[in-house]
Amino acid sequence: MQQLHFVLLWHMHQPDYRNYETGEFMLPWVYLHAIKDYSDMAAHLEAHPSIKAVVNFVPVLLDQLEDYAAQFASGKLRDPLLRVLAAPDLDKISTEDRLRTFDSCFRSNHSTMMQPYPAYKRLHEMHETLRQRGEAELGYLSGQYLADLLVWYHLAWTGESVRRSNETVVRLMTQGRCFSYADRLQLLEVIGELIQGLIPRYRKLAESGQIELSTTPHYHPLAPLLIDFSSALDSMPNANLPAESNYPGGRSRVAWHLSSATEAHTRRFGIKPSGVWPAEGAVSGPLLEILAEQHCHWTASGEGVLANSLRKSFPAAPLPERSRYLYRPYRINGRADSVTCFFRDERLSDMIGFEYSKWFGRDAAEHLVHSLEDIARNAPPGECPVVSIILDGENAWEYYPYNGYYFLNDLYEILENHESIRVTTYRDYISSLHPAEVTTLPVLAAGSWVYGTFSTWIGDPDKNRAWDLLCAAKHSYDLVMQSGRLTDEEKQKAERQLASCESSDWFWWLGDYNSPYVVASFDRLFRDNLANLYGLLRLPVPESVYEPISQGGGETSELGGAMRRAS
C-alpha cells in the first residue's frame, strides 16, 4: 500500500455573542462549548501525543474565551446564565431570570445529553407537566428545583474527559439532586478553571509541534462576498443579489480582518500562523490575492469548489473520477500562486459530522481508517495522496454518545500505530513538498464548503435584505469616519462594532430552513449590532433596523442548524 498523508483540521468557532453597549453575553454557547468540546478535543490530543492535527481558532472566539477568563478572575460575571448559577438564593431571583433558566436549561440534544441522566430527565418531565397546565404553574417550582436544573444543565454540557477526571464533577453527578449553594459555587469554579486553561493548553500542544494552529479572518466574514457580491454568480449564475451592487470598501475590510487575525494569533501563541481557513471555506481569486499579499502559505476549501474550478478551467473536458483530482495540493495561476490550496474530502468529513454518531465508536473509527486505506490503494501510480478532513471541532459531538469520546479515542489509537497513514499538518506537509508535486489550476471558481456555493449566505430575500441593511450602515460608517467628528477611541469602538456586523453567522441563520427560535435570536443579535453601530456613529437608528428580517420555518433539520452537509 502506498503511503498516504492525512490532515485533520478541527475548526473552532462561535460568533460574537456580546452586546458591546452593555458588555453582556446574549447567548451562552461560547462557555458551554469551552467546557465540553474545546476541553475534550485538547484532552484527546494530550492523551495521544503522536497524533498531529490542525486546530483552527477564529480570533473572535478566542476574544470571548479571554473575556470569560477575565470575568472569572474578577468575579464580575457578564453572562446572565452564569450569574443565575452563582446567585445565593434562587427563590429570590427575578422573573426574567427564572424564565431564562427554564428557556436555556433544556436546550441540548436530549437523547445524548438528557436521557442518560434520570435526575435531569425527571426535572424536564416535571417542567413539561406543569407547563402543559399553563405557564403560571411554573411559578410553583422552587429555588431548589432551579438549583438542581442549573447544575444538571452544566453537568450535561461538561466534556467526557472532565467527567472522568474532575472530582467535583464526579461527586455532583453521583449526588444527583438537592444541590446546595456551595455545590453551585464549586461547579462554577470548575467552569472558570476549564475556560482559563484552554488557550494555554492549545499553546502548549502547538509549542510541542503536535498541532498546527491556524486562523480565520478575525470576525469570520464571508470574505468573497464582502469583496464582490457577484462572486456568488460563479456557482449560482441565476441568483438574486442584494439591491446594492457591492459592499462598500469590501476588499479593504477583508484585508483588515486578516491582518487583525494574524496580529491576535501572534500575540496569543508567539508565532505567526502559516495558514488560513477562510470563514466557511469560502474562497475566490481576489481573496487568495489578499492571502498572498499577507504572506499566507496555505488555505483550504471544499471539494465542490475544486470540482467547479476544474469545470471552469477545462470546460471541454469531463470531470474525472474524484480520486483522480481531490487528494493533491494545488496552486492557482496568477498573483496568488504562492498560496498552496487543499480541498476537503466531503464524504469522509460528512461521515464524522452526520453518520458516525449512529455507529459504535470502534466500528466508526475502523471504517474511517479503512476508507483512507482504500484511497491509498486506488491512488494513481507514483502519487502519494494527501487527504483532508475538515469540520467543526465542536458541533458534531453532542450527537455522539459520551461526546464522541470512544470514536475519537479509538480513531487516534488506530492512527498512532498505522504503518501507511501519516497523520500530519499542512505546515509540515508543505515543508517537504517539491514544487513539481503541486498541480496548477488556471482558474479558481468562487464558492464555499457548503454545496460549493454561497447560497447559505446570499440569494434568499431575507439574506439579501440583511446585506442591504449592512451596506446602508457601512455607507454611514464611511461618512462619519471621514468627517473627523469621532475621537480615536470612538473610531476604534465603531470599527470593532462594524467588524462584528460583518460576520457570516448572521446570514447563515436567516432563512425558513432554521427553527423560528434560533432565527429570532440571531436576527435580533444582528440588528442589535447594527443599532449599536449607529449609536457609536452618533446617528439615529433607521426604523428598518428595528423590523425583524426573518421568521424561520420548521424545526432544525440537516438543511439547517449549526452544521450543514457539504452536498
Side-chain angles (χ1 to χ4, degrees):
M1 184 189 303
Q2 297 188 74
Q3 189 181 65
L4 176 143
H5 296 280
F6 177 39
V7 178
L8 266 172
L9 188 154
W10 300 117
H11 173 55
M12 313 297 201
H13 169 58
Q14 292 294 312
D16 198 341
Y17 295 116
R18 294 170 294 185
N19 183 312
Y20 289 163
E21 184 177 14
T22 65
E24 292 279 291
F25 276 79
M26 307 308 291
L27 291 170
W29 305 122
V30 167
Y31 87 79
L32 291 175
H33 282 295
I35 65 175
K36 185 169 81 71
D37 307 300
Y38 309 143
S39 293
D40 268 4
M41 296 300 275
H44 283 294
L45 290 164
E46 290 161 348
H48 298 277
S50 61
I51 285 294
K52 292 197 169 189
V54 180
V55 180
N56 187 83
F57 275 111
V58 179
V60 73
L61 168 62
L62 296 174
D63 293 344
Q64 292 176 91
L65 289 173
E66 288 179 341
D67 192 325
Y68 273 109
Q71 290 176 56
F72 279 99
S74 69
K76 298 177 181 178
L77 298 174
R78 286 178 282 104
D79 186 293
L81 197 58
L82 286 175
R83 277 204 304 269
V84 177
L85 179 64
D89 189 347
L90 292 173
D91 282 311
K92 295 181 180 179
I93 63 173
S94 67
T95 300
E96 181 183 6
D97 282 338
R98 284 179 64 88
L99 293 175
R100 177 182 288 108
T101 302
F102 294 144
D103 190 51
S104 301
C105 290
F106 298 119
R107 293 200 176 278
S108 61
N109 186 312
H110 286 196
S111 63
T112 58
M113 298 173 68
M114 179 184 292
Q115 297 296 333
Y117 310 114
Y120 187 18
K121 183 181 176 184
R122 281 195 298 272
L123 294 171
H124 181 248
E125 290 169 349
M126 189 183 305
H127 175 273
E128 291 302 289
T129 298
L130 291 175
R131 187 179 62 83
Q132 289 166 12
R133 296 176 186 171
E135 294 291 333
E137 297 291 311
L138 296 176
Y140 290 106
L141 293 172
S142 67
Q144 185 60 64
Y145 173 91
L146 292 172
D148 289 359
L149 177 58
L150 284 158
V151 170
W152 266 112
Y153 182 64
H154 287 91
L155 290 175
W157 271 93
T158 301
E160 186 66 19
S161 62
V162 181
R163 294 177 195 157
R164 289 167 180 252
S165 62
N166 187 278
E167 292 182 4
T168 298
V169 171
V170 171
R171 180 183 64 78
L172 293 175
M173 295 190 81
T174 304
Q175 180 178 326
R177 58 192 293 272
C178 295
F179 298 115
S180 66
Y181 177 51
D183 291 331
R184 288 188 282 121
L185 289 183
Q186 288 178 13
L187 179 57
L188 196 69
E189 184 179 357
V190 170
I191 293 170
E193 290 172 351
L194 289 172
I195 293 172
Q196 291 170 327
L198 274 176
I199 293 177
R201 290 173 75 183
Y202 282 99
R203 183 169 56 232
K204 184 177 180 181
L205 286 165
E207 288 171 348
S208 73
Q210 184 180 353
I211 66 172
E212 175 185 356
L213 290 168
S214 59
T215 193
T216 294
H218 202 125
Y219 283 78
H220 205 262
L222 208 296
L225 293 181
L226 282 194
I227 297 169
D228 184 3
F229 287 154
S230 67
S231 64
L233 301 178
D234 256 16
S235 54
M236 305 187 301
N238 299 316
N240 294 314
L241 298 181
E244 290 273 353
S245 59
N246 270 304
Y247 182 68
R251 193 184 193 281
S252 64
R253 292 301 302 149
V254 170
W256 179 90
H257 279 275
L258 183 58
S259 62
S260 178
T262 301
E263 290 168 11
H265 186 102
T266 305
R267 171 178 58 80
R268 288 183 173 111
F269 301 113
I271 186 173
K272 185 178 177 180
S274 175
V276 169
W277 167 251
E280 315 297 358
V283 294
S284 65
L287 172 60
L288 256 65
E289 290 178 6
I290 296 174
L291 296 179
E293 289 167 6
Q294 298 202 21
H295 310 292
C296 172
H297 294 157
W298 64 262
T299 191
S301 186
E303 179 179 337
V305 170
L306 176 56
N308 289 339
S309 300
L310 289 167
R311 293 187 187 101
K312 193 172 182 178
S313 296
F314 309 104
L319 191 68
E321 199 278 324
R322 63 198 290 271
S323 66
R324 292 295 183 260
Y325 63 81
L326 179 57
Y327 307 118
R328 59 179 65 164
Y330 286 85
R331 69 168 62 91
I332 311 303
N333 192 38
R335 289 187 290 176
D337 62 1
S338 61
V339 181
T340 305
C341 300
F342 300 90
F343 297 91
R344 75 195 283 264
D345 186 310
E346 290 180 352
R347 295 178 188 173
L348 294 183
S349 299
D350 281 353
M351 287 298 290
I352 296 176
F354 296 97
E355 298 299 330
Y356 286 150
S357 59
K358 307 163 193 172
W359 296 34
F360 287 112
R362 186 76 183 186
D363 292 345
E366 290 178 346
H367 181 269
L368 177 55
V369 173
H370 291 328
S371 299
L372 294 172
E373 291 170 345
D374 287 342
I375 292 169
R377 289 191 195 95
N378 295 319
E383 187 167 308
C384 184
V386 54
V387 180
S388 299
I389 288 183
I390 304 173
L391 75 156
D392 289 355
E394 69 261 270
N395 289 314
W397 310 122
E398 68 181 84
Y399 298 94
Y400 281 69
Y402 305 101
N403 209 42
Y405 178 88
Y406 290 104
F407 166 70
L408 287 167
N409 185 66
D410 288 348
L411 176 63
Y412 287 178
E413 183 181 88
I414 295 169
L415 290 172
E416 276 184 311
N417 300 302
H418 203 287
E419 294 180 354
S420 302
I421 298 173
R422 182 184 176 191
V423 187
T424 186
T425 66
Y426 288 132
R427 182 183 57 213
D428 289 353
Y429 176 79
I430 290 172
S431 68
S432 59
L433 192 62
H434 190 278
E437 297 176 277
V438 184
T439 301
T440 298
L441 266 178
V443 180
L444 177 68
S448 77
W449 68 267
V450 186
Y451 318 137
T453 75
F454 297 142
S455 63
T456 301
W457 303 274
I458 200 168
D460 173 275
D462 293 346
K463 300 176 191 295
N464 287 351
R465 183 179 164 218
W467 279 112
D468 287 331
L469 289 172
L470 178 58
C471 287
K474 180 58 162 57
H475 282 302
S476 296
Y477 171 90
D478 289 342
L479 288 171
V480 172
M481 294 295 270
Q482 293 164 13
S483 71
R485 68 182 183 185
L486 298 183
T487 66
D488 288 343
E489 182 181 357
E490 288 171 332
K491 286 181 178 180
Q492 188 176 12
K493 289 181 178 178
E495 184 169 48
R496 184 177 74 154
Q497 183 64 77
L498 173 67
S500 186
C501 293
E502 291 169 336
S503 168
S504 71
D505 296 274
W506 317 126
F507 304 91
W508 171 288
W509 289 102
L510 299 176
D512 59 9
Y513 45 78
N514 285 310
S515 72
Y517 170 83
V518 177
V519 170
S521 296
F522 280 85
D523 184 341
R524 184 180 65 252
L525 281 169
F526 174 60
R527 291 183 294 105
D528 284 350
N529 276 310
L530 289 177
N532 288 345
L533 176 59
Y534 280 106
L536 290 168
L537 297 173
R538 303 185 199 165
L539 295 174
V541 180
E543 285 298 319
S544 55
V545 173
Y546 293 115
E547 299 169 2
I549 299 168
S550 188
Q551 302 300 319
E555 289 303 308
T556 299
S557 67
E558 286 185 358
L559 295 175
M563 296 175 63
R564 303 274 163 87
R565 289 184 183 269
S567 58

